[in-house]
Amino acid sequence: MNEVEILDTINEIGFLLLKHGAEIYRVEESIKRMCEAYYFKDIEVFALPTYFTISLKLTDGTPYHSSKVIHSSHIHLDHLHELNQLVREVSNQQLTYHEIKDSIDSIKNDQLDLPLILFGYIFSSAMFCVFFGGGINEMIVAGLIGFVLYYVVLAMEAVAINSIVRTMISSMMIATLAIISFKFGLIEKMDATIIGCLMILTPGIAITNSLRDMIGGNLVSGTMRLVEAILIASSIAIGVGIVMVIGGA
């Protein structure tokens, strides 16, 4: 067994866990458990939302050190579920390099269910609009805005626009379409329409993960994620505020 190849696959699993939004403690624990399964010694793992490093000794005592930087992340719960299952298999069964590599490639090739995500944008926008007091017209308009928002976000992700700018542009687009609909008499409750659509952009998972990291003792990573969530929430407010001031709403 080539131990360096095994460690390369463990590094890749840790990279994917962070990339797809896993909690810091889960990443550190998963990497450590997999390394322990192959009898590596003096294992130390340190992770942040965009970086992690592994330091250990191979079974013959040779020092090993590796670092990974995550330049962009995207929450993908299906991939996290599959990666967690792979971690359990590696930890319990000592899989070979090729078995782990094949599993990683299978996970990476698993594409997002884009029609289901589109439905989520439409349905969530419409239902949140009703929750905040909108009527039938507001619900329909909110659903249409959610439809447009999906393609706007998809286009911005394709050109690698960062999350803060992407959120600001998306919130400006939502407010613009809602104000236009209000001006043309298509809706009566503009606020309910805007707020309902904005709920899709709120950083709920980021806030939850930041609090879990803090509770778990990872104060640095928890603070970083909390600051990111605050910046995203601020960009929502700024984007809507700019449009409402310009539109005189």
Side-chain angles (χ1 to χ4, degrees), residues 174-219:
I174 289 171
T176 299
L177 293 178
I179 290 173
I180 291 173
S181 299
F182 180 75
K183 298 286 186 182
F184 279 91
L186 299 177
I187 57 175
E188 295 180 359
K189 299 178 179 179
M190 182 178 63
D191 292 347
T193 305
I194 293 176
I195 296 172
C197 295
L198 288 178
M199 290 300 294
I200 298 177
L201 304 177
T202 53
I205 294 179
I207 293 174
T208 302
N209 283 346
S210 71
L211 294 176
R212 290 188 67 175
D213 286 340
M214 289 182 181
I215 293 171
N218 296 298
L219 297 179

Side-chain angles (χ1 to χ4, degrees), residues 10 27-37 43-45:
I10 291 175
V27 175
E28 293 178 339
E29 180 184 332
S30 297
I31 294 174
K32 190 169 185 178
R33 284 172 53 198
M34 289 187 289
C35 290
E36 288 173 344
I43 304 162
E44 296 293 342
V45 183

Side-chain angles (χ1 to χ4, degrees), residues 26-241:
R26 187 182 300 277
V27 175
E28 293 178 339
E29 180 184 332
S30 297
I31 294 174
K32 190 169 185 178
R33 284 172 53 198
M34 289 187 289
C35 290
E36 288 173 344
Y38 293 91
Y39 306 109
F40 299 125
K41 306 170 185 176
D42 299 333
I43 304 162
E44 296 293 342
V45 183
F46 176 72
L48 293 172
T50 58
Y51 166 87
F52 75 88
T53 180
I54 304 173
S55 178
L56 52 79
K57 289 182 180 178
L58 304 181
T59 53
D60 62 0
T62 303
Y64 174 91
H65 179 82
S66 177
S67 300
K68 285 279 190 179
V69 177
I70 292 80
H71 296 287
S72 62
S73 60
H74 185 85
I75 295 174
H76 194 319
L77 297 181
D78 285 340
H79 279 187
L80 285 181
H81 173 73
E82 293 168 359
L83 287 166
N84 285 331
Q85 182 60 36
L86 177 57
V87 169
R88 296 187 189 96
E89 293 176 359
V90 172
S91 301
N92 297 328
Q93 301 176 26
Q94 255 198 16
L95 302 180
T96 65
Y97 166 77
H98 294 291
E99 289 174 332
I100 302 173
K101 189 64 177 174
D102 289 343
S103 297
I104 292 173
D105 291 339
S106 175
I107 292 171
K108 290 168 70 174
N109 292 330
D110 185 17
Q111 300 298 317
L112 290 168
D113 189 347
L114 297 182
L116 182 61
I117 296 174
L118 173 59
F119 174 77
Y121 270 77
I122 297 171
F123 184 79
S124 298
S125 298
M127 293 300 101
F128 274 120
C129 176
V130 173
F131 178 81
F132 288 107
I136 296 297
N137 290 345
E138 286 79 11
M139 181 183 71
I140 294 172
V141 170
L144 293 174
I145 294 175
F147 176 85
V148 175
L149 177 62
Y150 166 79
Y151 288 102
V152 170
V153 172
L154 199 64
M156 288 190 288
E157 287 180 348
V159 295
I161 296 177
N162 73 70
S163 59
I164 294 175
V165 176
R166 185 169 68 236
T167 302
M168 184 179 297
I169 294 173
S170 299
S171 62
M172 292 176 71
M173 185 274 295
I174 289 171
T176 299
L177 293 178
I179 290 173
I180 291 173
S181 299
F182 180 75
K183 298 286 186 182
F184 279 91
L186 299 177
I187 57 175
E188 295 180 359
K189 299 178 179 179
M190 182 178 63
D191 292 347
T193 305
I194 293 176
I195 296 172
C197 295
L198 288 178
M199 290 300 294
I200 298 177
L201 304 177
T202 53
I205 294 179
I207 293 174
T208 302
N209 283 346
S210 71
L211 294 176
R212 290 188 67 175
D213 286 340
M214 289 182 181
I215 293 171
N218 296 298
L219 297 179
V220 175
S221 59
T223 302
M224 289 175 63
R225 281 183 163 166
L226 182 60
V227 170
E228 180 186 12
I230 291 172
L231 289 174
I232 291 175
S234 299
S235 68
I236 293 174
I238 292 171
V240 174

